[in-house]
Amino acid sequence: VQLQASGGGLVQPGGSLRLSCLVSGLNPYAIVWFRQAPGKEREGVSCFSTSDGMTYYADFVKGRFTISRDKTSNTVYLQMNNLKPEDTAVYYCATGWGFYANSWYLRSLYDFWGQGTQVTVSS
């Protein structure tokens, strides 16, 4: 199983980026984006449930980020709009053998992780 995250970069406050996560070797129940800022814990950002298309967001990104999936390419996207300096972090995508909607944000539930992509929001 491999996850390949890409799309990070440097953007000014208020700008946008789209992250991509290509999943191979597994048909996952869910694909989740996490992020980790320097000196902070890794936190759940958003989740896409492949069985029913449900999406989940952390409160701090609701209304700004949108998660979606291209089923044909098994790629999940995270469209990030109105970026803020506090969004600066390394973003990781993850998946696992199961899915628990009520606790999608717990990193311990996921067995496979991408390598991370740096997002820096700065003027």
Side-chain angles (χ1 to χ4, degrees):
V1 178
Q2 288 189 327
L3 292 87
Q4 187 171 359
S6 61
L10 173 63
V11 64
Q12 293 185 343
S16 298
L17 282 173
R18 189 177 78 157
L19 305 183
S20 301
C21 178
L22 173 63
V23 181
S24 59
L26 178 71
N27 288 320
Y29 290 101
I31 301 171
V32 186
W33 284 99
F34 285 81
R35 71 184 187 185
Q36 187 165 18
K40 294 188 176 181
E41 295 290 318
R42 193 170 297 188
E43 58 185 359
V45 175
S46 184
C47 173
F48 188 97
S49 170
T50 59
S51 62
D52 56 11
M54 290 289 291
T55 58
Y56 305 84
Y57 298 94
D59 287 344
F60 51 80
V61 302
K62 281 182 181 177
R64 301 188 298 125
F65 290 12
T66 303
I67 193 169
S68 61
R69 180 197 184 201
D70 179 347
K71 188 175 182 180
T72 57
S73 64
N74 215 15
T75 300
V76 168
Y77 301 98
L78 185 68
Q79 177 67 43
M80 307 186 296
N81 297 329
N82 191 21
L83 283 161
K84 304 176 181 180
E86 52 263 43
D87 294 318
T88 296
V90 178
Y91 284 70
Y92 300 89
C93 55
T95 190
W97 298 110
F99 175 61
Y100 304 91
N102 291 334
S103 52
W104 65 267
Y105 49 87
L106 296 179
R107 58 181 293 185
S108 61
L109 296 180
Y110 303 101
D111 306 286
F112 307 104
W113 292 79
Q115 80 283 11
T117 184
Q118 176 70 46
V119 172
T120 302
V121 185
S122 175
S123 55

